[in-house]
Amino acid sequence: MANTSEFGESSSPSFQNYVSAASAVKLASLGLIMGISLLGNASLSLLLLKDSSLHKAPYFFLLDLCLADVVRSAVCFPFVMASIGGGSVWPYSALSCKLVAFMSVLFCFHVAFLLFCVSVTRYMAIAHHRFYYKRMNLCTCVAVIFMVWTLSVAMAFPPVFDVGTYKFIREEEQCIFEHRYVKANDTLGFMLMLAVIVGTTHVVYIKMLCFVYDHRKMKPAQLVPAISQNWTFHGPGATGQAAANWIAGFGRGPTPPTLVGIRQASHLGNRRLLVLDEFKMEKRIGKMYYIITLTFLIMWAPYISACYLRICVRGAPVPQLYLSAAVWMSFAQAGANPIISFLFNKELRVRLRACFPFCLGTQTPMEPYCVI
């Protein structure tokens, strides 16, 4: 013990320098994450609220994700920065620690539950598009979001009443679950639930991918098209379907002579078929959400793995460097969604240029006779 103390005293200045440098790096990185998260999520939320063409079911869910990340960054991250600045010590009351831990766990489960619900709606949009376009309106989206928040509160609230469950973890420099051995703590159930939700979400996306792949092999039932002179069809396939398509709003060009006086439908919401453009749009949105889900898994996997190790193996040593990197990766997930959304969704980029042209340089005028 004497040798250990002497070594500690001789290395004390260098150790203090290391601690100060590590704290500075943590504060700078967390400040950068917080700034990117607040700026990106707030900008995307404003775009989704401002542009009426984005008032659709998938973007309502994306808006909820962005607003939750804004609240998480604005409420939880400053407390982590305060604990780092105070020397890895919680400077506030035990009740405030429980509240911050409750919000951290709440937002984690909220993202997991919401991404699962989004994966189900993405599968419905591709495989059961008629039912999807008929049922997925604003009220349905609000009901789904309310259900997600209710389940998240149900998962995050019980540990508030358990003494010692929510604590300040010095190694993680945050208030969170105290992950002890499974026989001494009950957090295993919460971690298993989180793993099941994320795993089930990926299963739904795999099923959607298999559906798209199988239907790529489909061939038209009628191989010989009908022949037309001035919209008078004859020959194989002359069943009047072309005229019906024109009336339903799928036709282009002048009015057929046989349909003069009949109004062509112009409302996209009344369509009962998933045309090619809509199918491509649904695939893009599905791809964007899957990348968001995959990013969530990648960002949280190191921290969840460390939690499982501490729960399942008594006294398991977790390297401090690994644990710090894992915690900061979970923080970085709050700022990833806007970046992914703009990178993998062309519609959002186009609407961003239209709504905020001053942020993206000189753009082509929207009106052909716009005077600059």
Side-chain angles (χ1 to χ4, degrees), residues 7 10 26 33 36 39 61 128 141 149 199 240 252 295 309:
F7 175 79
S10 63
K26 290 179 179 179
I33 292 172
I36 293 175
L39 180 61
F61 298 134
H128 307 284
C141 294
W149 281 107
R252 296 292 184 269
T295 303
L309 182 64

Side-chain angles (χ1 to χ4, degrees), residues 124-288:
M124 291 172 55
I126 297 296
H128 307 284
H129 52 272
R130 295 185 182 182
F131 178 82
Y132 175 82
Y133 281 109
K134 184 178 179 180
R135 299 298 182 184
M136 285 305 297
N137 50 29
L138 177 61
C139 294
T140 305
C141 294
V142 171
V144 171
I145 292 173
F146 178 78
M147 178 191 67
V148 166
W149 281 107
T150 303
L151 292 175
S152 303
V153 171
M155 292 300 301
F157 196 70
V160 173
F161 298 102
D162 296 334
V163 178
T165 300
Y166 281 155
K167 278 189 174 182
F168 176 75
I169 309 300
R170 183 183 178 88
E171 294 81 4
E172 302 180 16
E173 295 176 309
Q174 65 171 339
C175 289
I176 199 69
F177 277 124
E178 185 183 12
H179 298 292
R180 297 174 294 178
Y181 185 58
V182 63
K183 293 184 179 180
N185 204 1
D186 57 354
T187 58
L188 178 61
F190 297 93
M191 302 305 299
L192 287 176
M193 176 62 71
L194 184 61
V196 168
I197 296 169
V198 176
T200 307
T201 303
H202 282 80
V203 170
V204 175
Y205 278 113
I206 292 173
K207 186 176 180 181
M208 184 180 71
L209 182 63
C210 294
F211 178 87
V212 173
Y213 179 79
D214 291 340
H215 285 72
R216 288 177 61 186
K217 301 178 181 179
M218 294 178 63
K219 296 181 179 180
Q222 182 63 52
L223 300 178
V224 182
I227 303 173
S228 172
Q229 290 89 19
N230 296 326
W231 283 83
T232 304
F233 285 85
H234 60 87
T239 59
Q241 187 61 49
N245 288 346
W246 189 92
I247 294 173
F250 295 101
R252 296 292 184 269
T255 304
T258 56
L259 299 177
V260 174
I262 299 178
R263 181 186 301 178
Q264 185 181 25
S266 59
H267 299 287
L268 297 177
N270 294 330
R271 295 184 179 180
R272 292 296 181 265
L273 298 175
L274 191 65
V275 297
L276 183 60
D277 291 341
E278 292 174 343
F279 182 75
K280 290 181 178 179
M281 181 189 68
E282 297 298 343
K283 284 181 64 177
R284 286 197 302 267
I285 296 176
K287 179 181 179 181
M288 177 193 73

Side-chain angles (χ1 to χ4, degrees), residues 96-106 166 175-177:
S96 62
C97 182
K98 284 190 175 184
L99 292 177
V100 172
F102 164 75
M103 297 190 69
S104 299
V105 176
L106 172 69
Y166 281 155
C175 289
I176 199 69
F177 277 124

Side-chain angles (χ1 to χ4, degrees), residues 55-105:
H55 293 175
K56 308 173 187 176
Y59 297 123
F60 292 145
F61 298 134
L62 184 60
L63 176 63
D64 183 56
L65 275 176
C66 292
L67 293 178
D69 285 336
V70 167
V71 177
R72 180 191 176 196
S73 301
V75 174
C76 298
F77 292 172
F79 287 99
V80 178
M81 299 178 73
S83 66
I84 297 173
S88 299
V89 176
W90 183 253
Y92 307 104
S93 63
L95 178 60
S96 62
C97 182
K98 284 190 175 184
L99 292 177
V100 172
F102 164 75
M103 297 190 69
S104 299
V105 176

